[in-house]
Amino acid sequence: IIPNYIQAASNCIVSGQHYLVCCANDCETLLDDIERAVAAPTARPETIIDIVANMSSHINVDDDRAPKIDSSLRTQLAQIAEAHGGEVPIHGRLFGQWLHYVFPRECPFPHKTGVTVSSTPTQYGEGYIASAEEMKKYASEANNSALPTGVDREELEWMSQWSPEEELITDHLAHGLRAPWERSGLAAGAALFVAFVALSAFGLSSGRKLSSGGGLLPTHQKAHYV
């Protein structure tokens, strides 16, 4: 994946102990345009499609054609919205993944947290640069014999890495958005909270009755006059 390679730490121009000087992320410019048009952390799928359909690539001024949003991409965006109550979080991992397939040359594929490790070339010592002979050797050994036969390009490549795992930033929790697998835990927690409130109210009501003379033990009242 070209954008992931360009944005990788191994491709940074300058590698220091406390900072890296890397290539600009062209996908951030596209996301800035979407944020400006939406003006909200979430948006309806049709709103996003209308915005993205009128956008063009920022890396090639000679090719300013709008991206092709086919039925597969529309369906995928609708599924993202369905998992979040009809709205698409524009700062979530799934939307970043969707942008990668709309703008494959600009937006890197968003890997799940903890799956990949960013390493600089210097972390591998002095032998991190491949020689010309080594590169020719690997290039000559590479072939297409391992690819399955009878499979067209769409089945082989298109959205082959799509994964349904969502990752949301903290600010989205304030808007009631959660990953799909968190909803069951949220419902169970709400049920336990309601049960706790009901038991607490019952205990308070019983305590008041006992203190007002309606307890189970008999009571006697006497008056003494002097």
Side-chain angles (χ1 to χ4, degrees):
I1 302 175
I2 296 177
N4 289 74
Y5 171 75
I6 295 177
Q7 296 299 319
S10 59
N11 198 44
C12 292
I13 302 173
V14 178
S15 176
Q17 183 178 0
H18 302 289
Y19 67 91
L20 298 174
V21 179
C22 308
C23 299
N25 190 347
D26 295 302
C27 193
E28 292 182 358
T29 305
L30 299 171
L31 186 58
D32 288 343
D33 294 341
I34 297 175
E35 290 174 338
R36 211 174 294 112
V38 172
T42 62
R44 300 283 299 176
E46 49 272 16
T47 302
I48 294 177
I49 291 176
D50 291 340
I51 296 172
V52 176
N54 293 319
M55 297 173 62
S56 59
S57 172
H58 291 264
I59 64 174
N60 191 352
V61 295
D62 297 328
D63 186 10
D64 58 351
R65 292 176 297 179
K68 181 182 179 182
I69 306 177
D70 57 15
S71 58
S72 299
L73 287 171
R74 294 174 183 269
T75 301
Q76 205 67 54
L77 190 64
Q79 291 178 356
I80 298 174
E82 184 179 355
H84 295 289
E87 296 277 336
V88 177
I90 62 176
H91 300 106
R93 176 185 174 274
L94 289 181
F95 182 64
Q97 193 174 204
W98 186 81
L99 280 180
H100 165 70
Y101 287 102
V102 178
F103 299 99
R105 294 183 298 177
E106 294 85 356
C107 297
F109 181 85
H111 293 284
K112 292 175 289 186
T113 302
V115 174
T116 61
V117 178
S118 180
S119 302
T120 60
T122 55
Q123 292 180 257
Y124 296 93
E126 298 179 355
Y128 67 89
I129 299 179
S131 62
E133 292 74 15
E134 289 175 330
M135 289 187 285
K136 290 180 180 179
K137 176 183 177 182
Y138 283 109
S140 61
E141 294 176 353
N143 54 68
N144 296 327
S145 59
L147 296 178
T149 58
V151 180
D152 57 17
R153 177 183 179 276
E154 183 175 358
E155 294 178 352
L156 184 62
E157 300 178 1
W158 180 242
M159 303 186 77
S160 60
Q161 290 186 305
W162 183 275
S163 59
E165 289 82 4
E166 177 67 291
E167 292 179 5
L168 300 175
I169 62 176
T170 306
D171 292 342
H172 282 109
L173 299 180
H175 295 82
L177 295 178
R178 293 181 179 270
W181 58 83
E182 294 179 342
R183 294 184 177 180
S184 57
L186 182 62
L192 291 175
F193 178 75
V194 172
F196 174 77
V197 172
L199 290 175
S200 301
F202 178 77
L204 290 174
S205 177
S206 300
R208 290 174 181 173
K209 290 181 179 180
L210 290 175
S211 62
S212 62
L216 298 177
L217 297 178
T219 59
H220 300 278
Q221 296 180 356
K222 293 182 180 181
H224 299 274
Y225 297 96
V226 179

